[in-house]
Amino acid sequence: MSEHDAPERTARVLVVDDDPTVAEVVAQYLERDGFAVERAGDGHEALRRAGERWPDLVVLDLMLPGLDGLEVCRRLRESGPVPVIMLTARGDEEDRITGLEVGADDYVTKPFSPRELVLRVGSVLRRTRRAAQPVGRPALRAGDLVVEPATRRATRAGRELALTLREFDLLAHFMEQPGAAHTREDLMRRVWGWDFGDLSTVTVHVRRLRAKIEDDPARPRLIRTVWGVGYRFEPEGLHPTGEDVR
């Protein structure tokens, strides 16, 4: 029996890669696991296919002719929410971080195991579907910051925050355990649902989240760095010692 549940079996995945061999192998593995797959060989075709039938997830190569993967990801995000797993042959960490900063949910570096990619696809889709289902968790509050898990809505001083799926889940996890120190490994397991992966994914998302909720992201007061450990969420006003642990 596959590890994917029934709703995930019908998920539509758009595979975007200009290497027909890579695209074919990825498509075969995904179809074998029950996904419906469409393929595109360049960025413009990817946007056209997504416009015709919005996918549940996109596997997107970073290096594409004409319109690269970063620009495709940006344009997809402008059109609507969709999980993106980016493929890259580059070894430069900065390229991977840039992909995460434009909204990719994960990346896989070539050469990669097709089976690992399928597992990543399943993990991202399961979390996306769980996030779309209302739950009975109460609102979380820290000063003028309010997170409502049931409606997937977050506000700061009454202004709605534009958070991605991962950013919202990360913030909710922090606010549910104020004052607790979290390692990056723990955050990856509990927020991303992965027991493996590049921990820079967590670092980038914390940086993006700080940019959206902190008064001064360069001197964060809510999400503190605990050196040698990870991060700690401290509600405003709970710093009696004035200690700066950035």
Side-chain angles (χ1 to χ4, degrees):
M1 175 181 275
S2 166
E3 68 260 37
H4 299 288
D5 55 23
E8 289 176 354
R9 290 179 184 276
T10 61
R12 295 190 304 277
V13 178
L14 176 60
V15 177
V16 187
D17 199 306
D18 63 323
D19 186 329
T21 301
V22 172
E24 182 177 358
V25 170
V26 170
Q28 286 178 349
Y29 271 80
L30 287 168
E31 288 170 346
R32 191 178 302 166
D33 238 51
F35 296 103
V37 180
E38 287 191 52
R39 287 191 273 172
D42 59 56
H44 293 290
E45 183 183 4
L47 294 174
R48 179 178 60 79
R49 286 187 176 274
E52 292 172 350
R53 191 176 186 188
W54 195 250
D56 295 297
L57 182 142
V58 179
V59 176
L60 178 63
D61 189 24
L62 178 63
M63 298 296 292
L64 293 171
L67 200 65
D68 68 20
L70 294 177
E71 183 59 27
V72 172
C73 189
R74 288 190 188 97
R75 297 192 187 186
L76 286 171
R77 292 298 192 193
E78 290 173 357
S79 300
V82 61
V84 175
I85 296 178
M86 196 162 280
L87 304 179
T88 173
R90 297 179 178 180
D92 188 350
E93 182 181 359
E94 190 60 34
D95 292 319
R96 302 195 296 271
I97 290 175
T98 301
L100 294 171
E101 288 181 335
V102 299
D105 293 85
D106 191 16
Y107 65 84
V108 177
T109 304
K110 296 179 180 178
F112 59 87
S113 161
R115 187 59 192 155
E116 177 186 340
L117 177 59
V118 171
L119 291 173
R120 297 283 187 100
V121 168
S123 173
V124 171
L125 282 172
R126 280 193 297 275
R127 193 157 194 92
T128 301
R129 285 195 164 99
R130 283 199 300 269
Q133 297 172 355
V135 293
R137 290 156 60 194
L140 304 166
R141 300 177 186 275
D144 61 0
L145 181 63
V146 181
V147 168
E148 301 174 58
T151 59
R152 305 288 299 180
R153 186 170 181 263
T155 59
R156 181 85 197 271
R159 179 178 59 85
E160 187 153 4
L161 301 173
L163 302 180
T164 66
L165 170 69
R166 297 287 188 218
E167 290 165 358
F168 185 95
D169 288 344
L170 184 60
L171 178 58
H173 184 72
F174 277 136
M175 292 181 67
E176 285 172 341
Q177 302 180 60
H182 305 272
T183 65
R184 291 172 179 82
E185 292 86 353
D186 181 61
L187 291 171
M188 179 160 281
R189 282 192 300 270
R190 295 180 179 275
V191 178
W192 276 258
W194 305 336
D195 290 320
F196 57 89
D198 191 329
L199 296 180
S200 66
T201 299
V202 177
T203 305
V204 170
H205 280 78
V206 168
R207 185 167 71 227
R208 287 173 55 85
L209 184 56
R210 280 172 168 165
K212 295 180 180 182
I213 70 170
E214 299 279 2
D215 293 327
D216 180 0
R219 297 181 60 83
R221 297 183 65 242
L222 288 170
I223 302 176
R224 299 289 188 109
T225 296
V226 183
W227 296 113
V229 180
Y231 304 100
R232 179 173 64 233
F233 179 79
E234 297 186 11
E236 291 177 314
L238 297 184
H239 310 300
T241 65
E243 176 191 12
D244 187 350
V245 292
R246 292 184 295 110

